[in-house]
Amino acid sequence: MAVVLVTGGAGYVGSHACKALARAGHTPVCVDNLRTGWRDLAAFGPFEQVDLMDAGALENVFGKYKPDAVMHFAALSLVGESVARPDLYHRVNITGSLNLLDAMRAHGVAPIVFSSTCAIYGEAGDEDLTEDRPMAPESPYGASKLAVERILSDYEAAFGLRCAALRYFNVAGADPEAEIGERHDPETHLIPITIEVALGERENLSVFGKDYPTPDGTCVRDYVHVADLIDAHILALDKLMAGESGIRVNIGAGRGYSVAEVAEAVARVSGKPVATVDAPRRAGDPPRLVADHSRATAVLGWTPTRSALDVIIEDALRWRVSPRFAA
Ligand code: UFG
């Protein structure tokens, strides 16, 4: 059983990773600056409030816990915001990762599972994205993640780092036990916002662009359940611990839904109406991002089991109305 240092472990995806690691018998050490994370979500092992920009403090955490592996979730991750603040996105996402990698080197830690993104790919038209697609990020967020992937490859070649970069599509849903889930302030993501409309907490959903070259004119995304995404992390960790490296795989459900289809699905699952209003396109949004995840199946043995859209929405809704959401 391993000690796994989890950066961003108090955030949405990171907290689900900590829960799964603890359940698998590992010790997750949560490292989070709590800028967008939540202390109460870091409930599955030791917690250290540390910012990855603080190399000295990070170094101390490595000395204290002597991790066997790292899962690296901590990052700024909003596509729209990154267009306005490329300075912040590049500084935080790249420097934070470099500090982490250098602490790993200094302490002889080799395995790292890194949260990458489909936002590193360029325009794909109607095709599902394979890992061989050209890299051409449309946002500073995607560019910062691509830069870190390249650094990881260089560290693998030069220093014996062993990395799995998981290229997430749109993560959604919540812990099926509703113990933890997504809590952003302010919320910007489609499914939680649409749920707020259904719950009467928001007047309507702004649909960002209805003139995209997609069947109904709204953007198409591949929504993957956070529980499935975390399964991929555990499988990747096992591979790295067994000595593998150089894993680069897409983690998406392999099926796309438009913004309009998501609004309909939330109305159907919740039994409540979802009012929409037309709004301009949001900067940095590609029309269609859908995964071909066959490499993840071949390399990790991963197949999604909870990523049907209605299941994602049911789980997100259950968390959203649970007392723990408001805690
Ligand atoms: N959208 C709306 N109205 C809203 C919110 C979102 O129409 O109020 C649309 C967006 O324009 C987009 C789709 O819903 O077309 C999904 O938007 P999200 O903000 O939920 O997710 P993104 O696709 O922008 O971003 C997410 C993650 C990123 C990741 C990216 C990859 O936040 O970290 O998926 O596509 F890189």
Side-chain angles (χ1 to χ4, degrees):
M1 293 299 110
V3 175
V4 183
L5 190 141
V6 182
T7 76
Y12 169 40
V13 182
S15 60
H16 287 79
C18 289
K19 180 171 179 176
L21 285 165
R23 188 157 281 182
H26 302 301
T27 302
V29 177
C30 173
V31 173
D32 201 299
N33 65 5
L34 297 184
R35 195 179 307 154
T36 54
W38 304 86
R39 183 63 185 88
D40 67 297
L41 296 184
F44 306 99
F47 173 76
E48 296 285 345
Q49 185 169 353
V50 165
D51 192 315
L52 296 193
M53 302 302 274
D54 185 346
L58 190 57
E59 172 76 25
N60 290 340
V61 174
F62 272 78
K64 182 169 170 189
Y65 294 97
K66 309 201 177 343
D68 304 297
V70 170
M71 284 192 185
H72 179 27
F73 299 97
L76 299 178
S77 63
L78 301 176
V79 172
E81 183 183 66
S82 79
V83 176
R85 292 302 308 271
D87 53 331
L88 259 185
Y89 272 69
H90 286 293
R91 185 169 300 111
V92 171
N93 291 355
I94 298 173
T95 310
S97 298
L98 277 172
N99 287 342
L100 178 66
L101 293 179
D102 287 336
M104 290 177 68
R105 270 184 78 198
H107 290 265
V109 182
I112 177 170
V113 184
F114 171 63
S115 304
S116 188
T117 169
C118 61
I120 64 176
Y121 298 118
E123 186 82 62
D126 284 340
E127 281 178 48
D128 293 351
L129 289 155
T130 60
E131 292 81 356
D132 313 320
R133 296 291 308 196
M135 305 294 184
E138 292 188 22
S139 65
Y141 165 69
S144 72
K145 288 284 182 176
L146 178 57
V148 176
E149 273 208 27
R150 291 195 164 135
I151 292 167
L152 288 165
S153 296
D154 291 344
Y155 273 51
E156 285 188 302
F159 304 132
L161 190 85
R162 300 199 303 276
C163 170
L166 306 186
R167 297 175 180 161
Y168 304 0
F169 284 66
N170 285 57
V171 189
D175 173 23
E177 295 169 353
E179 186 182 5
I180 51 175
E182 187 166 17
R183 195 198 280 144
H184 293 119
D185 186 18
E187 187 51 77
T188 64
H189 294 96
L190 179 63
I191 289 180
I193 283 182
T194 311
I195 286 175
E196 287 176 12
V197 177
L199 293 175
E201 295 171 7
R202 248 178 223 260
E203 221 167 291
N204 50 46
L205 167 70
S206 297
V207 176
F208 297 147
K210 290 187 92 172
D211 57 348
Y212 283 99
T214 58
D216 64 20
T218 65
C219 283
V220 172
R221 293 289 181 273
D222 179 329
Y223 296 90
V224 60
H225 196 295
V226 66
D228 283 333
L229 174 76
I230 295 306
D231 284 351
H233 284 71
I234 302 289
L235 291 165
L237 178 71
D238 289 346
K239 297 279 178 198
L240 298 176
M241 298 293 279
E244 290 189 33
S245 63
I247 298 171
R248 305 287 184 270
V249 291
N250 290 339
I251 305 294
R255 161 118 210 232
Y257 292 95
S258 71
V259 172
E261 287 171 324
V262 169
E264 278 162 28
V266 169
R268 184 175 61 243
V269 170
S270 67
K272 302 275 167 45
V274 171
T276 61
V277 292
D278 298 352
R281 288 183 176 199
R282 189 176 67 178
D285 273 345
R288 183 179 190 276
L289 293 168
V290 178
D292 176 327
H293 65 227
S294 44
R295 192 194 281 181
T297 302
V299 170
L300 300 179
W302 178 78
T303 38
T305 60
R306 286 195 79 83
S307 291
L309 185 58
D310 285 18
V311 177
I312 288 176
I313 293 169
E314 278 160 22
D315 287 350
L317 191 56
R318 190 177 317 109
W319 157 250
R320 195 55 184 67
V321 298
S322 89
R324 284 177 182 274
F325 169 79

